[in-house]
Amino acid sequence: MTDLTELTIAQAREKLKAGEIKSTELTEAYLAAIETANAELNAYVKVTSDKALDMAKASDERLAKGEGGALEGIPLGIKDLFGTKGVHTQACSHILNVFEPPYESTVTQNLWNDGAVMLGKLNMDEFAMGSSNETSYYGPVKNPWRSRASNADLVPGGSSGGSASAVSARLCAGATATDTGGSIRQPAAFTGTVGIKPTYGRCSRWGIVAFASSLDQAGPIARDVRDAAIMLKSMASVDDKDTTSVDLPVPDYEAAIGGSVKGMKIGIPKEYRVDNMPEEIEKLWQQGIDWYRDAGAEIVDISLPHTKYALPAYYIVAPAEASSNLARYDGVRYGLREHGKDITGMYENTRASGFGEEVKRRVMIGTYVLSAGYYDAYYLRAQKVRTLIKRDFENVFAQGVDAILTPATPSPAFEIGDKELAADPVKMYLNDIFTVTVNMAGLPGIAVPAGLDNSGLPLGLQLIGKPFDEETLFKTAHVIEQAAGKFSPEKCW
Ligand code: GLN
């Protein structure tokens, strides 16, 4: 038998069902892989070995009786943003020091109900604020990929950097992630994995630590399109505890894979041809266009005229909501408490030592744009821009476009500690240039590996779909996967 950790979710599912392998063996193989690699990659902040083995044993018992759910016995990694009952949940922040919630998030509960096994909690940017996983209280995550041009350690992207690194390095069969402005799709693109941010409302946000509530959505990072479809089917649900979750049946996403794209209209937005875009990204995009043309799709040039305002508007709306959401971390109810001479002093000391620099920056920006004199000029205007961005997409879809093809990121993975990016937060924010529009409009978007750059690093393409039309994204992304092949890093850990 080859290494069990090489099996995709779909492959492992068949072998488990047929009784060819046991979940306990599979889980042990992943725990051993984590043991070997995690000191180097720092993808997990907490490994729940005992819980994993207990869950695997229970799965094996169900499988032996011919029972079991859609993910029975499949070992997964969980982003530290998801509340997991009695297990480390800190959003990789010091302010949630030793927090173990007395509840389980709806998304993770859905996964356990379908038989999945929890390997542990995955590293991420603090409160999901970042594009490189360098803002984590637990330190940066390494991308398992290396450039042929240098031996430097690379970022896995962010904020779901631990999820992407763990999936790429075979430290879990698949992982949960969240995306507020690109945090599923950008790390997927940086690590040669597949990540889908579903339509806002497709997955319940209940029990997930809130960053920007009108933008946050959970989704999977997986090794291929099929595995992403399997995971999303389990994660998605309507939920009484989240009034923004939508009561629509969850389709069988896997069934959409392999369908023909003949006659479909794929839109190419001219506004995504940004200044200084590396030639390799431009080439990759053209390659994607050619693949669709060859598969019989119709390529149409489209315009999304308000695209250029998306990033600035996002960096008003997201910090505004974050400043409000993060007001609850005051040292009173849970997490860290630093004493002070009075209650105000206690609040101040707790928040000063509990939050990292990027989180403080966002809280300050958010408080500023919501303050009495500036609300209309910043927050209200950003909300209006958001409506215009949404309308751009509606117009294009009304013209019969089925999906929109863009690059996923403006560059491949960069070095950990990149000085230029560290010195200028706006440069870091520019990583999200192709992804934030999708969150602002509440649409689904998928990132799929499409090739390697000249130094051998993975690059991704993004497909954007109509609301609740994730099926088209799985179908169209699969065409790219078939043409480009799959990508895995050479073992360097
Ligand atoms: N990089 C973006 C930010 O820092 C997006 C983060 C996310 O999607 N969680 O806000």
Side-chain angles (χ1 to χ4, degrees):
M1 176 73 227
T2 51
D3 186 355
L4 289 174
T5 63
E6 286 302 318
L7 297 172
T8 63
I9 293 177
Q11 290 166 341
R13 176 181 65 182
E14 300 318 315
K15 288 193 185 297
L16 285 163
K17 243 195 249 154
E20 288 170 38
I21 59 170
K22 288 207 175 319
S23 175
T24 31
E25 296 172 72
L26 188 60
T27 302
E28 274 163 9
Y30 278 113
L31 291 172
I34 296 168
E35 176 77 31
T36 313
N38 203 48
E40 177 71 14
L41 298 177
N42 200 26
Y44 281 86
V45 292
K46 174 86 192 168
V47 183
T48 51
S49 314
D50 292 347
K51 197 176 177 70
L53 290 169
D54 286 348
M55 289 172 97
K57 219 170 130 233
S59 278
D60 283 334
E61 282 163 17
R62 282 191 290 269
L63 285 161
K65 286 191 266 176
E67 296 168 1
L71 283 167
E72 198 63 59
I74 304 289
L76 302 178
I78 303 299
K79 187 178 181 178
D80 198 34
L81 206 63
F82 290 78
T84 42
K85 193 171 176 182
V87 176
H88 184 287
T89 300
Q90 289 191 211
C92 285
S93 178
H94 185 41
I95 206 149
L96 276 165
N97 193 31
V98 306
F99 181 57
E100 293 178 347
Y103 54 81
E104 187 75 32
S105 82
T106 299
V107 164
T108 46
Q109 189 60 54
N110 287 345
L111 293 169
W112 315 142
N113 290 349
D114 275 347
V117 168
M118 175 162 78
L119 291 168
K121 301 302 287 287
L122 292 162
N123 206 338
M124 55 178 283
D125 279 302
E126 184 180 4
F127 283 105
M129 297 172 189
S131 306
S132 63
N133 213 118
E134 292 170 294
T135 73
S136 168
Y137 179 67
Y138 296 92
V141 174
K142 276 187 203 169
N143 190 326
W145 288 82
R146 257 165 215 273
S147 158
R148 276 197 298 263
S150 101
N151 210 24
D153 291 328
L154 304 176
V155 304
S159 65
S160 313
S163 306
S165 177
V167 172
S168 172
R170 273 77 174 124
L171 305 187
C172 58
T176 65
T178 60
D179 190 314
T180 302
S183 281
I184 291 177
R185 293 159 287 156
Q186 185 251 17
F190 277 13
T191 55
T193 56
V194 175
I196 181 166
K197 181 204 90 75
T199 313
Y200 184 78
R202 183 68 288 184
C203 291
S204 168
R205 288 179 295 106
W206 194 82
I208 302 173
V209 176
F211 165 9
S213 307
S214 77
L215 301 160
D216 299 343
Q217 232 343 256
I221 291 183
R223 280 182 219 169
D224 61 18
V225 174
R226 182 173 298 278
D227 281 6
I230 296 170
M231 279 191 73
L232 183 61
K233 166 95 178 133
S234 278
M235 293 167 75
S237 67
V238 64
D239 181 9
D240 290 343
K241 290 182 283 196
D242 173 6
T243 52
T244 64
S245 73
V246 171
D247 190 5
L248 274 178
V250 183
D252 178 2
Y253 296 123
E254 238 188 310
I257 295 171
S260 164
V261 296
K262 216 177 167 125
M264 279 180 65
K265 274 194 188 175
I266 305 286
I268 311 299
K270 66 167 190 267
E271 290 80 8
Y272 282 61
R273 257 194 191 98
V274 293
D275 293 344
N276 306 324
M277 187 148 88
E279 208 181 296
E280 287 169 289
I281 305 274
E282 183 81 48
K283 243 175 58 195
L284 182 86
W285 198 9
Q286 189 53 49
Q287 173 67 263
I289 294 172
D290 294 343
W291 282 328
Y292 283 119
R293 204 174 272 131
D294 293 347
E298 187 189 339
I299 305 297
V300 286
D301 289 325
I302 59 166
S303 173
L304 298 164
H306 297 92
T307 299
K308 63 172 175 296
Y309 304 115
L311 198 68
Y314 169 86
Y315 275 97
I316 290 172
V317 173
E321 294 185 18
S323 72
S324 164
N325 274 326
L326 271 54
R328 72 191 68 170
Y329 303 105
D330 54 9
V332 175
R333 285 156 292 192
Y334 40 71
L336 184 75
R337 174 179 299 174
E338 298 285 2
H339 292 283
K341 65 178 184 326
D342 53 18
I343 190 156
T344 310
M346 189 274 283
Y347 291 157
E348 285 174 357
N349 292 344
T350 300
R351 289 171 69 86
S353 75
F355 289 141
E357 227 176 282
E358 183 60 28
V359 174
K360 285 180 189 157
R361 179 181 293 128
R362 306 276 180 119
V363 169
M364 283 191 277
I365 295 172
T367 308
Y368 178 78
V369 299
L370 289 175
S371 61
Y374 297 98
Y375 181 89
D376 289 3
Y378 291 105
Y379 186 69
L380 204 63
R381 183 161 298 196
Q383 289 292 27
K384 287 181 182 163
V385 169
R386 187 170 181 181
T387 304
L388 295 173
I389 291 166
K390 198 158 172 260
R391 209 168 287 160
D392 282 354
F393 282 105
E394 284 164 3
N395 290 340
V396 162
F397 290 129
Q399 291 157 26
V401 167
D402 295 291
I404 298 166
L405 177 71
T406 77
T409 59
S411 74
F414 45 87
E415 289 182 20
I416 292 180
D418 184 303
K419 288 202 185 57
E420 222 184 310
L421 291 172
D424 181 356
V426 175
K427 286 215 171 100
M428 186 64 93
Y429 299 167
L430 280 167
N431 265 287
D432 308 324
I433 189 135
F434 299 138
T435 48
V436 288
T437 48
V438 173
N439 302 73
M440 293 295 266
L443 300 172
I446 192 167
V448 57
L452 300 176
D453 78 351
N454 292 336
S455 66
L457 292 176
L459 296 172
L461 286 172
Q462 171 178 238
L463 287 141
I464 305 169
K466 296 178 206 163
F468 297 99
D469 189 16
E470 283 81 7
E471 286 164 290
T472 293
L473 296 189
F474 287 120
K475 189 203 276 190
T476 46
H478 188 246
V479 170
I480 291 183
E481 185 174 80
Q482 291 291 101
K486 295 189 199 172
F487 302 90
S488 45
E490 275 168 42
K491 244 185 180 138
C492 64
W493 55 91

